[in-house]
Each structure stands twice: as structure tokens, then as C-alpha cells.
Amino acid sequence: MKSLRYLDLSQNNLAGDVPRGLGALSNLTYFSLGLNNFSGVLSKDHFAGLVNLEYLNLSLNSLKLDFSEDWSSDSITTSIKDRELNYTHESTKHIVLIDMSSNSFTGYIPKKLSLLKGLRSLNLSNNQISGPIPDDIGVLRELESLDLSYNYLRGEIPSSLSDISFLSCLNLSYNDLSGTIPSGQQLQTLNNQYMYIGNPGLCGPPLLNNCSMNGTNPNFSQEHEGGRSSLYLSMSTGFVMGLWTVFCAMLFMKTWRIAYFQLLDQLYDKVYVQVAISKAAFLRKRGDEET
């Protein structure tokens, strides 16, 4: 069926492997196998001939794909868009949506993903993808929705992400990302802390935890600890100096010693009298109660 352009088999109970022959449908623009029970391992052959594809949905299956093994030299973006490996803007502008969420994909996000210049929506959530987010993800200037949540991504959020001016939906939650959240203008317009929750190492707006308080700013922490130590040292030194001043004054000045001990005697007498009166009143009250 070389002329087939639209193929939607989603929301059925289809199972087993995805046929490799589907990759020969060169005129296919819409391809959806979402919400089925497909399993098995995807390879480059599944996408080799889909050079006109615009919409790809493989979500909510049990498919496996390891980007770091079979896709290291010819990534999924290469196979989808150009069988002859001619990386031009014309050969990669067609595809606008990729949804591969809720599968068993592993490995790193392919760096050649940046070849899909016309991509508007990318969803790789709820997989087992690890490694960093590609630094050049910001070249996807048409991207409107990016969902990489519930994976094992690590490292910092690339600052180039703030260069995507059309980005209106972003979800990086529940990964292992760390560092300061980029402060680009586009990311500030989103201003939703739920996009980043589940990443204990992240800090900065819109999250409430300050970068200087979770150890991401070691210089500040060192200065803060140094200032605290200096304060404690100054207080201890002042106390010792004051104590020695009083001791020396008492030692060399007789009138001060006399006045000091007289004061102690007076205080002792007052306390003794007060205790004696309180004791007598207590015994008198107790005797009255017994009678």
C-alpha cells in the first residue's frame, strides 16, 4: 500500500511485535499505534522508509527501544527523515509530533533529535531514558510541547531551552535533574513549579528552595560558615577578656574586693531570711490543716 497516507490502529487490543514492513510506507504522514499491547524491540527498520511522516504515536504500549545501542550511529530522527543520511532542513522539517510515552525505552535522548527542525510536540515521558538532556535542544525553535517526565534524566537543564520562544507546555518532573533552573524569558512565562517537582537537586525560581541553601553555591556556603565561626570566636574572646578584667580588678583593688564580698553577704542574708519565712509559713499552714 505505497499510497497509504493515514494509518490509525490506536485504542485496540493489538499485541505482539510491530511489523517491520510498516517502515516501507513512504507516503505515510499519520501513524498511530497508541494504547495497544504491542511489545518487542523497535529498530531502525521500523522507520527507515517513513520519509513523509508528520505524526507518530507509539504511546501506551510495552515497546522497547535502546537509543544508546542500535541508534548510536543512525538515530531515530535520521531513519525517520532521510534514508540517505542527507541532513538538510528540507529533509527534516515534516514531522511535527512524536509521542513515545509510557513504553520501556532506555538509553540517552539522541543528539540528532535536533535535526527535526519542524517538531512541535515531543513526549518521551514514563520511560527509562537516562543521561542528560541534549544541550542543543534549543534549536527546535518550533517546539510547543515537551514532556520528559518520569524518566531517569540527570544533569542540568540546558540553558538553550529558554530560547524556544513558542514553548507553552513543559514537564521535566520526576527525574534526577540538578542545578539552577535557567532564567530565560520564555521559561519565566510558564512559571509553574510542578514542571520541576521530583528533582531534589533543582533549585531557583519557580521552586521555593534557594540555590544557596541546598549546596549549589559552595562559595556562599563557605562565606556563611566563615562568618558564623568568626562570630563565635569574637564572642568567646570577649567573654574571656571581660572575666579576666574583673578578676584583675578584684585582685589589685582592695576596696572593690570588700564591696564585692559585702554585696554577697547582703544577698545571702536576704535569701536566708526569705527561705526561713517561707518555711515557717508553710509549717504553720500545715499545722492548721491537721487540727
Side-chain angles (χ1 to χ4, degrees), residues 3 29 55 78 97 107 131 133 166 175 180-181 193 210 222 261-262 273 280 287:
S3 299
T29 59
Y55 182 102
T78 304
L97 185 145
I133 301 174
F166 293 106
N175 281 284
T180 305
I181 297 175
Q193 61 177 329
N210 192 296
Q222 292 175 1
F261 287 115
Q262 287 178 348
V273 171

Side-chain angles (χ1 to χ4, degrees), residues 2-70:
K2 295 293 184 181
S3 299
L4 189 64
R5 299 175 59 87
Y6 190 101
L7 178 60
D8 188 351
L9 301 175
S10 61
Q11 302 186 46
N12 285 287
N13 290 317
L14 299 174
D17 295 336
V18 177
R20 295 175 182 267
L22 292 174
L25 301 177
S26 57
N27 288 311
L28 202 63
T29 59
Y30 187 102
F31 183 25
S32 178
L33 300 178
L35 200 55
N36 279 288
N37 295 314
F38 284 112
S39 58
V41 180
L42 294 176
S43 68
K44 294 174 292 188
D45 296 336
H46 287 97
F47 307 97
L50 304 179
V51 294
N52 291 304
L53 195 63
E54 297 180 3
Y55 182 102
L56 175 63
N57 185 359
L58 304 176
S59 63
L60 296 166
N61 283 284
S62 298
L63 294 168
K64 296 181 180 180
L65 186 152
D66 190 346
F67 288 122
S68 62
E69 291 181 2
D70 207 18

Side-chain angles (χ1 to χ4, degrees), residues 44 66-76 110-112:
K44 294 174 292 188
D66 190 346
F67 288 122
S68 62
E69 291 181 2
D70 207 18
W71 306 79
S72 57
S73 58
D74 298 322
S75 70
I76 186 170
K111 293 183 178 181
K112 293 179 181 178

Side-chain angles (χ1 to χ4, degrees), residues 136-147:
D136 58 349
I137 195 170
V139 302
L140 301 177
R141 298 302 176 88
E142 303 295 323
L143 202 61
E144 300 174 4
S145 176
L146 176 63
D147 191 346

